[in-house]
Amino acid sequence: MPKQELDADELFNLALSIVGIVLRDGSMQVTELANHFDVSERAIEKAVKVIANSEDIANYETHFEVQDWLLEEGEVSFTPGRSNLTRPPVLSQRQAVALGTGLEYLSSLPGFENNTDLETLRRKLIHSVTPVQVESNFSKNTELDLLRDAIRSGVSISCEYRNQKGETSMRQIDPLRIDFLGKRHYLRGWCRQNLEVRSFRLDRMIKLTATGEAISQDALAAEISENVYGEANQQIEVQVIAKPEAAEIFWNFPTSQRPELITGEYHGTIRIGNLASLGRHITRYGGQVRVIAPKEARLAVFGFAQSALLGIQKPENED
Amino acid sequence: MYKQTPAERLVTLTCCLLSRPSLGLSKNELFQAVTAYAQAGSDAAREKMFDRDKSAIREAGFILEVIGNDGFDDTDSARYRIQHSSFSWPEDFELTPQMLQLLEIAGKAWNSQMMGDAARSGIMRLRSLGLIPMSTDLAMLSPRLLAQHPAFAPLANSISMNQMARFNYRKADLSEQIREVSPKKLRQLAGEWVLLADENGQIKNFLLRRIVSSVSELPDSATVVSLAAIDQAEAELLIHVENQVAKIEIAPDTEAFWHFNPGPELIVDLNYMDEALLAEDLMEYGSDLVVLEPTSLAKRISESLLRVVELHA
């Protein structure tokens, strides 16, 4: 959904961008510009009014001659007037670092290697040297290729899948999208067993095959949430305290509000779907994250860590 | 009386500054030309607004010069102008639908994280280069760049601005020190963001997650380090990783078994950069695995698990 409300800096940026495209390509429809810039029509109208209201009151000079009556009919049309602004400036430092980092990241992922367009963008457009390097050690390229082909061809796949509770089952999945998320990679797809879009970790899938069967209408109509870890409406709220080194716990789960820094530690609440996997997520931080409530969540962590500890302390002469 | 919005003020100021590309305008001339400045309730409010707008214009990518007063800002005789090179888009560059899609994916990779806004506004500006349709060839891929650590953006900025930076760094042994460094590069290794920086003539690696304070940019310029020295430091880190090997025994038919895919002997060798980080990754598998070597790693895991048990008992 396009952004409805823009702050002053965003509106300034949009106004500069509209100046650039309209003075280059001529008048355009509000709807066309809204689609192009992925903002609402209202945002376009506001930005055009920003352009229209620009004037030098000391010298009685209007910077742009905007056709107000055309704007009322949904068309954006103006000429430069007394302004020398005909195009936006090149990318700002921050924009270049953000996009440059994103492009560097893409170039490290399977599916983007040897992409000549990517190379051109990095070389010509990102004018500053982007000081970022992302290394990927993804090892399931064969599976990834199979999934990409299946998505392109619109066919379902089947595999053996082990879920986060440790349960293994055969699945038929209509593959929709592949999400690369830090070290982990997920298939987002319509699960024919559960009849909903689910996230499947690629390293938990084995014996992956394309079935040749077309993906279902349900899959085609399904919406994929942006949140791969789960929805913000997940039912169980877990209160945790994390040291700064482990603050990422709040980024890895949906949260109802930003964690608060109190005497050098982050206090906050994460939302989870079930307690089965909480133990592993908390235990990995070796005490840098502790669960405060509810009691069942504390018990889940205690149980996981104690079982791991007992596993380590098994007798050497075990049969 | 008509009141200019902040966005209108910024566009007006930009256009006024561009109207005198050579001579520039003095602050007083700008105060008379821009409606919001002329209508400001007090000198202090006007000055504050002007300072904020100068920053906004610079942050938007314009090169705002101060001339006629030895480059010192904020004096009555200073004149302001926007450098023509602010508009130096590459001459032989044409955005294609495929490139636009790549930029969209690169921008979306930030999701709603700290640089997400900058990426989105950058794409918006690039879209002003023409009404180009976007390719959908790569629509099935959705990468997410996880760089939510608050130190990331200021360090990326310090590197780009060639400035030194200061932060508190807490090592794995919990000792904490203030570090003043010349940041050179941010790298993501095995899922962890690492800062490569020069500290007192030595190139060192700092894990972002162990930066436990905000990062402040220092007024001093960063020290100059040759590319060869950076390459050498990176190569040394790789050698370090190659030499650090942990031997892990994996329980069959467990999640660890699926993940590490060990051979029939159920043993895997893992190279690692940092023992504490490897311990974290391994502890996630609970009783699915046992560390055989090195003993320091096994001891670290055992102590950490005990700490978790005690904290949740």
Side-chain angles (χ1 to χ4, degrees), chain A residues 117-258:
Chain A
D117 291 318
L118 190 55
E119 277 310 305
T120 307
L121 284 170
R122 290 163 75 195
R123 203 175 59 250
K124 292 200 167 174
L125 198 60
I126 307 303
H127 47 90
S128 64
V129 177
T130 309
V132 171
Q133 186 183 346
V134 183
E135 286 174 6
S136 164
N137 54 356
F138 189 67
S139 60
K140 289 209 157 191
N141 282 325
T142 315
E143 285 87 344
L144 197 61
D145 286 345
L146 188 146
L147 288 174
R148 288 179 62 182
D149 288 345
I151 296 173
R152 278 207 185 97
S153 324
V155 296
S156 73
I157 56 112
S158 69
C159 69
E160 210 174 295
Y161 189 71
R162 185 184 181 91
N163 70 12
Q164 56 177 330
K165 296 176 191 164
E167 302 155 349
T168 306
S169 60
M170 280 304 293
R171 305 287 184 105
Q172 188 173 354
I173 303 162
D174 295 333
L176 299 170
R177 199 174 80 191
I178 299 160
D179 286 8
F180 300 98
L181 208 71
K183 280 188 283 190
R184 299 207 164 121
H185 304 84
Y186 295 82
L187 169 69
R188 313 294 297 278
W190 180 266
C191 176
R192 295 213 184 174
Q193 276 72 37
N194 295 296
L195 299 178
E196 62 180 359
V197 174
R198 294 220 167 167
S199 304
F200 301 92
R201 252 172 67 175
L202 262 59
D203 63 346
R204 290 180 178 159
M205 299 168 94
I206 56 167
K207 298 175 188 163
L208 193 63
T209 50
T211 63
E213 190 182 325
I215 66 170
S216 63
Q217 288 302 314
D218 289 333
L220 288 171
E223 274 190 33
I224 312 174
S225 147
E226 286 302 307
N227 199 345
V228 72
Y229 284 124
E231 298 303 325
N233 62 3
Q234 292 203 92
Q235 291 305 307
I236 307 171
E237 284 200 340
V238 180
Q239 243 182 294
V240 297
I241 297 179
K243 295 202 181 296
E245 295 96 318
E248 64 180 30
I249 189 81
F250 294 107
W251 311 327
N252 292 342
F253 290 91
T255 50
S256 30
Q257 57 192 42
R258 287 173 68 88

Side-chain angles (χ1 to χ4, degrees), chain A residues 73-93:
Chain A
E73 291 179 7
E75 188 176 335
V76 177
S77 177
F78 54 82
T79 51
R82 303 286 295 176
S83 170
N84 290 330
L85 180 67
T86 54
R87 60 198 308 203
V90 294
L91 295 179
S92 70
Q93 183 74 28

Side-chain angles (χ1 to χ4, degrees), chain B residues 20-160:
Chain B
R20 305 264 186 87
S22 307
L23 284 177
L25 283 101
S26 70
K27 191 157 62 174
N28 283 337
E29 286 171 321
L30 288 167
F31 284 175
Q32 288 164 25
V34 179
T35 310
Y37 299 153
Q39 292 174 349
S42 66
D43 287 346
R46 189 179 294 117
E47 292 281 354
K48 197 174 166 188
M49 220 186 281
F50 183 52
D51 281 345
R52 200 165 50 219
D53 293 347
K54 280 186 294 183
S55 300
I57 279 181
R58 285 184 171 123
E59 274 175 31
F62 291 103
I63 304 167
L64 181 60
E65 282 184 305
V66 187
I67 52 170
N69 196 36
D70 297 329
F72 286 101
D73 200 351
D74 211 28
T75 63
D76 288 340
S77 56
R79 297 183 76 79
Y80 300 87
R81 69 180 180 193
I82 286 175
Q83 223 182 64
H84 184 66
S85 60
S86 301
F87 303 95
S88 300
W89 290 92
E91 291 288 331
D92 55 345
F93 173 75
E94 199 168 327
L95 201 60
T96 63
Q98 288 73 24
M99 288 180 189
L100 191 57
Q101 187 185 29
L102 285 167
L103 286 163
E104 281 282 343
I105 297 173
K108 279 188 177 169
W110 283 105
N111 205 2
S112 56
Q113 300 169 81
M114 61 187 73
M115 294 191 103
D117 286 345
R120 273 192 298 279
S121 68
I123 291 167
M124 181 179 279
R125 192 168 295 177
L126 290 167
R127 281 176 176 267
S128 74
L129 299 178
L131 209 57
I132 305 146
M134 192 170 72
S135 166
T136 54
D137 292 352
L138 299 167
M140 87 279 281
L141 300 176
S142 176
R144 288 283 180 271
L145 182 54
L146 297 180
Q148 302 215 48
H149 196 285
F152 188 94
L155 287 172
N157 200 52
S158 291
I159 296 169
S160 301

Side-chain angles (χ1 to χ4, degrees), chain B residues 160-305:
Chain B
S160 301
M161 304 301 282
N162 205 27
Q163 294 294 121
M164 284 187 71
R166 178 197 286 142
F167 50 78
N168 286 21
Y169 193 73
R170 188 146 68 204
K171 287 185 177 176
D173 63 8
L174 300 182
S175 62
E176 190 175 324
Q177 271 188 321
I178 297 174
R179 315 296 285 258
E180 291 188 355
V181 302
S182 295
K184 295 296 166 196
K185 196 171 188 178
L186 285 161
R187 307 163 73 200
Q188 195 182 45
L189 300 167
E192 288 289 337
W193 283 103
V194 179
L195 168 71
L196 192 79
D198 177 43
E199 186 182 41
N200 301 324
Q202 270 192 302
I203 299 182
K204 296 179 181 173
N205 292 289
F206 298 89
L207 281 162
L208 258 60
R209 57 184 295 184
R210 292 193 183 142
I211 294 177
V212 292
S213 69
S214 55
V215 175
S216 38
E217 200 171 273
L218 299 175
D220 313 76
S221 292
T223 51
V224 178
V225 175
S226 69
L227 279 178
I230 291 175
D231 288 347
Q232 192 189 335
E234 289 180 358
E236 282 170 5
L237 182 62
L238 282 180
I239 292 168
H240 167 75
V241 171
E242 276 169 21
N243 290 334
Q244 303 260 96
V245 185
K247 203 173 268 303
I248 317 289
E249 185 184 347
I250 313 278
D253 196 31
T254 58
E255 177 157 0
F257 180 84
W258 282 43
H259 181 79
F260 292 106
N261 197 17
E265 72 288 3
L266 301 177
I267 306 277
V268 286
D269 286 342
L270 298 178
N271 292 93
Y272 61 95
M273 174 174 62
D274 182 289
E275 191 181 276
L277 294 179
L278 178 65
E280 282 188 4
D281 285 346
L282 297 179
M283 279 193 287
E284 200 174 303
Y285 293 98
S287 54
D288 288 2
L289 50 79
V290 175
V291 175
L292 304 177
E293 289 172 19
T295 48
S296 57
L297 176 64
K299 184 168 176 272
R300 182 187 289 274
I301 289 180
S302 174
E303 287 172 354
S304 298
L305 289 172

